[in-house]
Amino acid sequence: MKKKSDTGIIVAICILALLLGGATGFHFYNQHNDSAAVVAKQKKSGKKNDLNINKKKAVKKASSKKDDSKLLWMLMGYMAYARKNYEESQKVSSTSELVDAVVKDFKDGTLTATQKSSTNYTVSNDYGDVNVAVEPSDVKVTNDGTTVTSKSDLKQTFNKYTAKMAPVVKKISNTSSNNQSSNSAKSKKTSKDSKNKTAFSDEEMVVSAYIDNADGNTPQDKINTIKSILEKDNNSDSTNIPNDDYLSGLYTGNYKGKSYYSIASNLSTSHYEVIYLNGDSDQYATQAVAPGMALADESNKKSRSKKDLINKYKTYKQDLDEILNQLKDNKSRMSAIQDEISKRANDKSKSDDNDSDDSNSDNSNHDEDTNDSDEVPDY
């Protein structure tokens, strides 16, 4: 009996061991399958993420390539617009030299470009901004006027120089796409706007350019020369205006599509000085005009640096504004002065006519008295 009982216990223990082993094996089997499923899922998810990342990269790359293409058109359009300014201010004589000059200005920060929308850019320097719009078939640049150049013409002119423009395209593209760079650009623009508030307006620039051609060894000497003329003009009433020494105001004009300012130095305005500000170029030009010296004669036209002019007269800004206000006042008096001059001319003409009539009358009486002489002529 005892032997049978021991055998039963042994059998029960074996069965229990088998059951425990099976349960443990099943647990580890399930755990392995679960882990394998997780790994497989992760791999699948990873592949999906990789596909999404690659797709996003491809879209971003295509978008970047498209933006770079627009930037290239923008640059070419700007160069076509600015060509005359660079020819006059930097004496460039070929397309290659023009590209080099514009690329240099973008690289050293003289020029900056800010993207305003997907097709619009603002190109800026210390003297102003121009808007450049890249359209389907052309590029339009807007400043005082509008310059439109077809893409086919731009491609023909600038296509061989795209490699030279590539660093500028990359620089502008990086600035536009990076938030930090964008914030930096905004800060720079704000700083530039602040600087422009303390710089010269166009009218102040014109006045300083006119003063710089006056007699005198120093800026103060030149300012005093102009002020002495204006003081004499101001102290003379409309009946006693010095015709050949009267600064009769600040005027605007246009010659061959190019805008200019002028300041006349006499009442008839036959003598005046022309000042071309040349848009966003750093160069301005002056030209004297008088009888025998027309605008077409550019032999006495001189170009100089706006930056140098500002540095030279920035401490005399108050004097510039005083002179500018006096020029405007002189211009407002022109109508009354010219009316007075006309009145004086008419009065003089009438006086001369009366004197002539009196003279003729005296001569007539004298002749009559002679003819009626009672003297008998000798025979």
Side-chain angles (χ1 to χ4, degrees), residues 25 30 41 44 92 108 133 157 175 203 206-207 210 227 238 240 242 244 249 256 270 318 328 336 350 353 366 375:
N30 282 343
K41 188 175 181 181
K44 186 176 181 180
V92 303
D108 65 20
T157 304
T175 301
E203 290 183 337
V206 170
V207 170
Y210 183 79
K227 279 190 171 183
S238 58
N240 189 28
D244 292 329
K256 290 186 176 180
S270 58
Q318 184 174 346
K328 291 179 178 179
K350 288 179 182 179
D353 288 344
H366 184 291
E375 290 184 358

Side-chain angles (χ1 to χ4, degrees), residues 115-158:
Q115 187 170 2
K116 295 299 183 182
S117 69
S118 61
T119 59
N120 281 271
Y121 303 83
T122 297
V123 178
S124 310
N125 65 11
D126 286 341
Y127 306 100
D129 304 327
V130 296
N131 183 70
V132 185
V134 179
E135 299 185 343
S137 59
D138 53 49
V139 179
K140 184 184 296 182
V141 181
T142 306
N143 187 12
D144 294 334
T146 300
T147 302
V148 180
T149 311
S150 69
K151 285 185 174 179
S152 59
D153 287 345
L154 291 174
K155 187 175 181 179
Q156 185 176 356
T157 304
F158 297 105

Side-chain angles (χ1 to χ4, degrees), residues 24-129:
T24 303
F26 183 75
H27 170 74
F28 283 109
Y29 174 78
N30 282 343
Q31 189 178 44
H32 173 73
N33 282 347
D34 288 344
S35 297
V38 169
V39 170
K41 188 175 181 181
Q42 286 176 343
K43 285 182 178 179
K44 186 176 181 180
S45 176
K47 287 181 180 179
K48 189 175 181 180
N49 287 338
D50 288 343
L51 288 173
N52 288 335
I53 290 170
N54 290 335
K55 186 177 180 181
K56 287 179 181 179
K57 284 182 178 179
V59 170
K60 186 176 180 181
K61 187 176 181 180
S63 176
S64 176
K65 189 174 181 180
K66 189 175 180 181
D67 288 343
D68 286 355
S69 176
K70 288 179 182 176
L71 281 170
L72 196 57
W73 285 120
M74 181 275 291
L75 275 176
M76 291 190 288
Y78 176 78
M79 284 189 286
Y81 155 79
R83 183 166 202 138
K84 287 185 179 179
N85 285 341
Y86 277 87
E87 287 174 347
E88 292 180 0
S89 63
Q90 298 191 30
K91 308 302 180 187
V92 303
S93 58
S94 67
T95 301
S96 179
E97 289 178 358
L98 172 65
V99 174
D100 288 339
V102 173
V103 167
K104 176 182 176 297
D105 283 349
F106 271 104
K107 283 184 175 180
D108 65 20
T110 299
L111 286 172
T112 59
T114 306
Q115 187 170 2
K116 295 299 183 182
S117 69
S118 61
T119 59
N120 281 271
Y121 303 83
T122 297
V123 178
S124 310
N125 65 11
D126 286 341
Y127 306 100
D129 304 327

Side-chain angles (χ1 to χ4, degrees), residues 15 85 102 121 142 160 162 222 269 271 288 298 337-338 353:
I15 293 172
N85 285 341
V102 173
Y121 303 83
T142 306
K160 67 170 74 173
T162 53
K222 294 173 181 289
T269 66
H271 293 76
E298 297 188 354
I337 293 169
Q338 288 171 339
D353 288 344

Side-chain angles (χ1 to χ4, degrees), residues 205-260:
M205 185 75 74
V206 170
V207 170
S208 58
Y210 183 79
I211 290 171
D212 203 46
N213 282 341
D215 292 337
N217 296 321
T218 67
Q220 189 62 64
D221 291 340
K222 294 173 181 289
I223 288 170
N224 290 341
T225 297
I226 300 301
K227 279 190 171 183
S228 64
I229 297 172
L230 289 170
E231 185 177 2
K232 183 168 57 176
D233 295 342
N234 193 43
N235 290 334
S236 300
D237 59 29
S238 58
T239 62
N240 189 28
I241 293 295
N243 180 63
D244 292 329
D245 204 7
Y246 183 80
L247 303 184
S248 55
L250 183 65
Y251 300 85
T252 58
N254 193 285
Y255 180 68
K256 290 186 176 180
K258 201 165 187 180
S259 60
Y260 65 81

Side-chain angles (χ1 to χ4, degrees), residues 5-33:
S5 176
D6 291 342
T7 302
I9 292 171
I10 292 170
V11 170
I13 290 171
C14 289
I15 293 172
L16 181 62
L18 287 172
L19 289 174
L20 288 173
T24 303
F26 183 75
H27 170 74
F28 283 109
Y29 174 78
N30 282 343
Q31 189 178 44
H32 173 73
N33 282 347

